[in-house]
Amino acid sequence: MRRALGTLGCCLALLLPLLPAARGVPHRHRRQPLGSGLGRHGAADTACKNRPLDLVFIIDSSRSVRPEEFEKVKIFLSKMIDTLDVGERTTRVAVMNYASTVKVEFPLRTYFDKASMKEAVSRIQPLSAGTMTGLAIQAAMDEVFTEEMGTRPANFNIPKVVIIVTDGRPQDQVENVAANARTAGIEIYAVGVGRADMQSLRIMASEPLDEHVFYVETYGVIEKLTSKFRETFCAANTCALGTHDCEQVCVSNDGSYLCDCYEGYTLNPDKRTCSAVDVCAPGRHECDQICVSNNGSYVCECFEGYTLNPDKKTCSAMDVCAPGRHDCAQVCRRNGGSYSCDCFEGFTLNPDKKTCSAVDVCAPGRHDCEQVCVRDDLFYTCDCYQGYILNPDKKTCSRATTSSLVTDEEACKCEAIAALQDSVTSRLEALSTKLDEVSQKLQAYQDRQQVV
């Protein structure tokens, strides 16, 4: 499957269509003759810029790649970076290093200048074991091509591109992983070196294969590919050149351009400038309950008595009366998603609707006793006036009656008391009679003395 070194020129020619656009976008860039973009001293013509890309290099550093060969791969990456219009709003670059494990050397969001990128590339060390190419492609999807790691949103229409450089045969199942990546909109270019298995390269790469599969005989000549890459990238792109008048986003369109806006903004009637939209307007957000605008974006919140679910969109009712969730002094009563405070029996709710004060349970209207209310701490019992007894309902009273049924002992006591009362009465009557007689005699004596 190897090609002779003499076919290198033909292979290099295949690189002309490399990376001008993502899948489904026609190749409309004007290509320049080799070297036509270089000035007197070989410096790149600053007017020649590539269209923006989210570009990820996946480089093989397995045991088959000798240290001096890996150094040439790093030189190739540095020269490739030099050909790119690197920047936060132009081409973003990430580098992944793989063998039997995968290491993200730096994601798309880390560097936006060439010097920092090339410095990071110079520090890359080989991993030196295995060739798990499928694992590397999966890691690119999971860990690099995400907005958190610097990939731009889909509505920006920035192509997602992978360039895999390998000299071996994958030791894992790469076919399904590569197919999933292509389905996700990632365009894959496979560059084989030396011992690389061409069939594996064709399995990984995007269609058409003659535009996405490349081979060079040795690492010693790989850096020469950069000039062809530069010719491919070079395009008189109005958006890339900065000669447009779009306020936010410029989108190339068949040799011309259209203006677009960032998320949270809408294009004004002049088709150039943008205005912030109400991201919380009905139909513009995914919040279950409350949408809060946040610098052109939004966050979701919930009504009182609800809590935000882990999806950060929907809400679930919470137990508002759970300990620590309310400020009621005694009793919390749920009321839909909210709550109200209440008090224990014997207490009344204060005007603050939270705290409670003890009440007089025997105050008029607070008890159901018919005659007498007796307080017992926070509760009460009923009683009756003298001559009344409490009925079984413990609330009402009935007049008391003396029972006609007495015991023998009680009857004897009553008879003894009656006899004593009769005896005392007789003696008192006899004594009274004697006193009357003495009084009469004394009165007669006094009368006789007056006559004398």
Side-chain angles (χ1 to χ4, degrees), residues 12 69 83 95 104 123 205 240 268 294 323 363 372 443:
L12 294 178
E69 292 176 330
T83 69
V95 176
V104 179
R123 296 193 298 268
N268 292 327
N294 183 22
V372 179
Q443 185 64 43

mmCIF file of all heavy atoms in Angstrom, residues 12 69 83 95 104 123 205 240 268 294 323 363 372 443:
data_model
loop_
_atom_site.group_PDB
_atom_site.id
_atom_site.type_symbol
_atom_site.label_atom_id
_atom_site.label_comp_id
_atom_site.label_asym_id
_atom_site.label_seq_id
_atom_site.Cartn_x
_atom_site.Cartn_y
_atom_site.Cartn_z
ATOM 1 N N LEU A 12 1.276 15.380 -2.982
ATOM 2 C CA LEU A 12 1.168 16.758 -2.497
ATOM 3 C C LEU A 12 0.089 17.506 -3.266
ATOM 4 O O LEU A 12 -0.615 18.352 -2.712
ATOM 5 C CB LEU A 12 2.503 17.478 -2.648
ATOM 6 C CG LEU A 12 3.643 16.949 -1.768
ATOM 7 C CD1 LEU A 12 4.921 17.715 -2.053
ATOM 8 C CD2 LEU A 12 3.268 17.066 -0.310
ATOM 9 N N GLU A 69 11.667 11.658 14.884
ATOM 10 C CA GLU A 69 10.520 11.800 13.989
ATOM 11 C C GLU A 69 9.418 12.626 14.642
ATOM 12 O O GLU A 69 8.756 13.439 13.976
ATOM 13 C CB GLU A 69 9.985 10.413 13.605
ATOM 14 C CG GLU A 69 10.941 9.618 12.731
ATOM 15 C CD GLU A 69 10.439 8.217 12.448
ATOM 16 O OE1 GLU A 69 9.713 7.666 13.308
ATOM 17 O OE2 GLU A 69 10.764 7.683 11.374
ATOM 18 N N THR A 83 0.805 29.195 8.905
ATOM 19 C CA THR A 83 -0.006 29.432 7.704
ATOM 20 C C THR A 83 -1.427 29.879 8.027
ATOM 21 O O THR A 83 -2.146 30.337 7.139
ATOM 22 C CB THR A 83 -0.094 28.152 6.843
ATOM 23 O OG1 THR A 83 -0.887 27.175 7.523
ATOM 24 C CG2 THR A 83 1.283 27.599 6.534
ATOM 25 N N VAL A 95 -4.634 20.884 19.928
ATOM 26 C CA VAL A 95 -3.723 19.769 19.632
ATOM 27 C C VAL A 95 -3.962 18.654 20.626
ATOM 28 O O VAL A 95 -4.005 18.887 21.841
ATOM 29 C CB VAL A 95 -2.247 20.217 19.675
ATOM 30 C CG1 VAL A 95 -1.324 19.005 19.463
ATOM 31 C CG2 VAL A 95 -1.962 21.268 18.611
ATOM 32 N N VAL A 104 -5.075 15.810 25.805
ATOM 33 C CA VAL A 104 -5.390 17.080 25.145
ATOM 34 C C VAL A 104 -4.292 18.069 25.537
ATOM 35 O O VAL A 104 -4.235 18.534 26.671
ATOM 36 C CB VAL A 104 -6.777 17.609 25.568
ATOM 37 C CG1 VAL A 104 -7.055 18.945 24.891
ATOM 38 C CG2 VAL A 104 -7.864 16.595 25.227
ATOM 39 N N ARG A 123 6.613 22.039 23.717
ATOM 40 C CA ARG A 123 6.721 21.322 24.992
ATOM 41 C C ARG A 123 6.061 19.945 24.968
ATOM 42 O O ARG A 123 6.115 19.221 25.956
ATOM 43 C CB ARG A 123 6.084 22.161 26.103
ATOM 44 C CG ARG A 123 6.783 23.483 26.375
ATOM 45 C CD ARG A 123 6.300 24.094 27.677
ATOM 46 N NE ARG A 123 4.881 24.387 27.649
ATOM 47 C CZ ARG A 123 4.351 25.555 27.285
ATOM 48 N NH1 ARG A 123 5.154 26.536 26.907
ATOM 49 N NH2 ARG A 123 3.040 25.750 27.308
ATOM 50 N N ALA A 205 -11.337 8.721 7.164
ATOM 51 C CA ALA A 205 -11.468 10.015 6.506
ATOM 52 C C ALA A 205 -12.882 10.266 5.970
ATOM 53 O O ALA A 205 -13.676 9.356 5.764
ATOM 54 C CB ALA A 205 -10.459 10.122 5.374
ATOM 55 N N ALA A 240 -12.828 37.139 6.078
ATOM 56 C CA ALA A 240 -11.532 36.935 6.708
ATOM 57 C C ALA A 240 -10.645 38.166 6.569
ATOM 58 O O ALA A 240 -9.848 38.480 7.447
ATOM 59 C CB ALA A 240 -10.845 35.719 6.095
ATOM 60 N N ASN A 268 -30.649 44.070 12.565
ATOM 61 C CA ASN A 268 -31.500 45.234 12.331
ATOM 62 C C ASN A 268 -31.882 45.330 10.843
ATOM 63 O O ASN A 268 -31.271 44.684 9.990
ATOM 64 C CB ASN A 268 -30.787 46.517 12.770
ATOM 65 C CG ASN A 268 -30.619 46.561 14.280
ATOM 66 O OD1 ASN A 268 -31.466 46.067 15.019
ATOM 67 N ND2 ASN A 268 -29.518 47.145 14.748
ATOM 68 N N ASN A 294 -29.415 37.669 31.159
ATOM 69 C CA ASN A 294 -28.067 37.723 31.705
ATOM 70 C C ASN A 294 -27.080 37.996 30.576
ATOM 71 O O ASN A 294 -26.537 37.084 29.963
ATOM 72 C CB ASN A 294 -27.729 36.404 32.412
ATOM 73 C CG ASN A 294 -26.362 36.437 33.072
ATOM 74 O OD1 ASN A 294 -25.842 37.503 33.367
ATOM 75 N ND2 ASN A 294 -25.786 35.265 33.286
ATOM 76 N N PRO A 323 -37.609 21.451 58.009
ATOM 77 C CA PRO A 323 -36.784 22.233 58.957
ATOM 78 C C PRO A 323 -35.763 23.102 58.232
ATOM 79 O O PRO A 323 -35.083 22.645 57.316
ATOM 80 C CB PRO A 323 -36.099 21.132 59.784
ATOM 81 C CG PRO A 323 -37.038 19.981 59.727
ATOM 82 C CD PRO A 323 -37.632 20.013 58.351
ATOM 83 N N ALA A 363 -60.643 32.501 79.112
ATOM 84 C CA ALA A 363 -61.281 33.772 78.793
ATOM 85 C C ALA A 363 -62.627 33.487 78.132
ATOM 86 O O ALA A 363 -62.812 32.451 77.493
ATOM 87 C CB ALA A 363 -60.392 34.585 77.864
ATOM 88 N N VAL A 372 -67.954 26.685 85.386
ATOM 89 C CA VAL A 372 -66.636 27.117 85.871
ATOM 90 C C VAL A 372 -65.539 26.529 84.980
ATOM 91 O O VAL A 372 -65.550 25.331 84.678
ATOM 92 C CB VAL A 372 -66.399 26.653 87.326
ATOM 93 C CG1 VAL A 372 -65.008 27.105 87.795
ATOM 94 C CG2 VAL A 372 -67.482 27.205 88.244
ATOM 95 N N GLN A 443 -88.372 39.154 142.113
ATOM 96 C CA GLN A 443 -89.228 40.320 141.870
ATOM 97 C C GLN A 443 -90.149 40.574 143.058
ATOM 98 O O GLN A 443 -90.364 41.727 143.472
ATOM 99 C CB GLN A 443 -90.079 40.077 140.594
ATOM 100 C CG GLN A 443 -90.906 41.262 140.210
ATOM 101 C CD GLN A 443 -90.057 42.463 139.822
ATOM 102 O OE1 GLN A 443 -89.057 42.331 139.115
ATOM 103 N NE2 GLN A 443 -90.420 43.654 140.334
#
